Amino acid sequence: MNESLRIIYMGSPDFAVAPLYALIEAGYKPLYIISRPDKRKGRGAVLSATALKAAAQKIGLPVYTPQNVNEPQFIEDIYAIRPDLLITVAYGQILKRELLQIPRLGALNLHASLLPAYRGAAPIQRALMQGANLSGVTTMYMDEGLDTGDIILSASCEIDATETGGTLHDKLMFMGADLLCCTVGLIDAGLAPRRAQDDSLASYAHSLTAKDEIVDWQMSALKIHNQIRALNPWPKAYCLWGDKRIKLGRSQFGPTRFPGKPGEVIAIDKQGMWIACQEGELCLNEVQPQGKSLMDACAFARGYGIKEGSVFN
């Protein structure tokens, strides 16, 4: 293993942190970390660093946060470093050819899907929203397209029926950390495979929008359940009770037992509130009223006077 391999590591959210730690433990400590600029978050609009920047600073790695990595000056700065390898993990910008061509051994990306499926920004959530039963991680050589480069390695896992966006994120993050270390080791040894993606099998995981959070009771119970678990713990799906936004935590679904119009509460039992959908019934197990913490759906029903026949929007 060549411990002098010159690596630049680029990323932003939590998903990029575990792979960074794994690389360092494997002897591939990056020279520099590139992350997105700090953003204001929360009610106090506090300026906050990305998860990767915070982690890198704790272990003493230099961090740079350019607004645009494709600006000529930044490309010149990277060229001056003469990296052997450039690695991106959920960085959030598409890199131009001028930047991708700089590293001697190439530029590679770790992606949270089995490419060419779910190319794009939200592969974890989109896979769950579509009811997929298989997921995984892929390392690839980067090109100018959106996750279109040649595949190096991949690893798959089943999506459990109780999987949420949060649990699948963590599972793939640690799988990805192992896969990235293996990939870098193979590249370092000159043994890394590569194979072109089959574009005819490609699908896209477009960025989440505010519309994705809104529950439409005209959909099937299964589809709404998948929406809820995909967006748990963030940003959470929601419906309306009057003019109040009710975020939805855990849910389950079943076949239609009782008649009701979509959105109508048709039963309340120890499991939660059962709501009629266009097809089937959805049980809300946990909800989060506006301005409140996550709570048991039965307790919510009692506290807010919700009974059979009540209707959510």
Side-chain angles (χ1 to χ4, degrees):
M1 179 180 68
N2 180 7
E3 295 190 3
S4 64
L5 202 63
R6 298 173 63 81
I7 296 174
I8 293 177
Y9 187 91
M10 305 173 68
S12 296
D14 289 335
F15 194 83
V17 175
L20 171 64
Y21 288 154
L23 278 177
I24 294 172
E25 188 170 337
Y28 295 108
K29 185 177 181 179
L31 289 174
Y32 298 99
I33 302 298
I34 311 298
S35 195
R36 301 301 296 273
D38 297 357
K39 287 186 177 181
R40 297 194 180 278
K41 297 180 180 179
R43 293 181 180 178
V46 177
L47 200 60
S48 301
T50 67
L52 180 64
K53 177 181 176 180
Q57 287 178 327
K58 283 184 180 179
I59 55 180
L61 290 176
V63 183
Y64 297 92
T65 56
Q67 288 288 343
N68 182 0
V69 293
N70 294 306
E71 291 179 348
Q73 183 57 58
F74 184 78
I75 293 175
E76 286 184 22
D77 292 342
I78 296 298
Y79 184 81
I81 296 170
R82 298 199 178 278
D84 296 311
L85 197 59
L86 189 153
I87 299 171
T88 68
V89 182
Y91 177 64
Q93 286 187 20
I94 294 178
L95 278 55
K96 287 185 177 179
R97 178 180 298 180
E98 292 86 347
L99 190 54
L100 297 175
Q101 290 179 336
I102 293 174
R104 178 177 64 87
L105 297 176
L108 70 95
N109 173 251
L110 170 66
H111 187 71
S113 80
L114 294 173
L115 291 172
Y118 299 107
R119 295 171 175 171
I124 295 173
Q125 292 86 356
R126 295 297 180 192
L128 288 170
M129 290 173 81
Q130 294 177 16
N133 56 21
L134 187 69
S135 186
V137 286
T138 304
T139 52
M140 65 173 181
Y141 287 107
M142 298 172 68
D143 60 19
E144 292 180 274
L146 181 62
D147 300 320
T148 55
D150 290 351
I151 291 170
I152 307 170
L153 298 175
S154 62
S156 64
C157 67
E158 291 185 359
I159 297 179
D160 188 87
T162 60
E163 205 85 69
T164 66
T167 61
L168 185 56
H169 169 281
D170 292 352
K171 182 187 293 185
L172 296 183
M173 177 177 65
F174 290 111
M175 285 180 60
D178 291 339
L179 192 73
L180 182 60
C181 287
C182 184
T183 299
V184 173
L186 289 172
I187 290 174
D188 191 7
L191 300 173
R194 69 187 299 161
R195 59 182 173 88
Q197 295 189 41
D198 184 346
D199 291 338
S200 69
L201 302 176
S203 60
Y204 288 87
H206 300 290
S207 299
L208 296 175
T209 67
K211 187 177 180 180
D212 290 313
E213 302 171 34
I214 305 170
V215 166
D216 179 2
W217 300 109
Q218 298 290 338
M219 298 192 305
S220 70
L222 173 58
K223 191 166 185 178
I224 296 172
H225 170 71
N226 285 337
Q227 175 188 10
I228 291 170
R229 68 191 186 114
L231 302 183
N232 181 4
W234 183 90
K236 287 195 176 72
Y238 72 88
C239 62
L240 295 177
W241 173 245
D243 61 350
K244 300 295 183 183
R245 183 177 295 192
I246 309 299
K247 292 187 176 183
L248 308 178
R250 290 188 302 108
S251 64
Q252 61 193 83
F253 67 96
T256 300
R257 300 171 299 168
F258 307 109
K261 62 182 181 181
E264 181 180 351
V265 178
I266 52 179
I268 300 175
D269 58 25
K270 62 182 181 180
Q271 293 174 298
M273 296 182 294
W274 290 89
I275 302 176
C277 303
Q278 185 64 37
E279 179 184 334
E281 300 172 0
L282 183 83
C283 182
L284 298 178
N285 307 121
E286 288 181 333
V287 300
Q288 184 178 354
Q290 192 168 324
K292 305 288 185 180
S293 300
L294 199 65
M295 64 188 299
D296 179 82
C298 293
F300 168 78
R302 290 193 299 270
Y304 284 73
I306 295 174
K307 307 183 185 325
E308 292 179 15
S310 297
V311 178
F312 285 96
N313 298 321

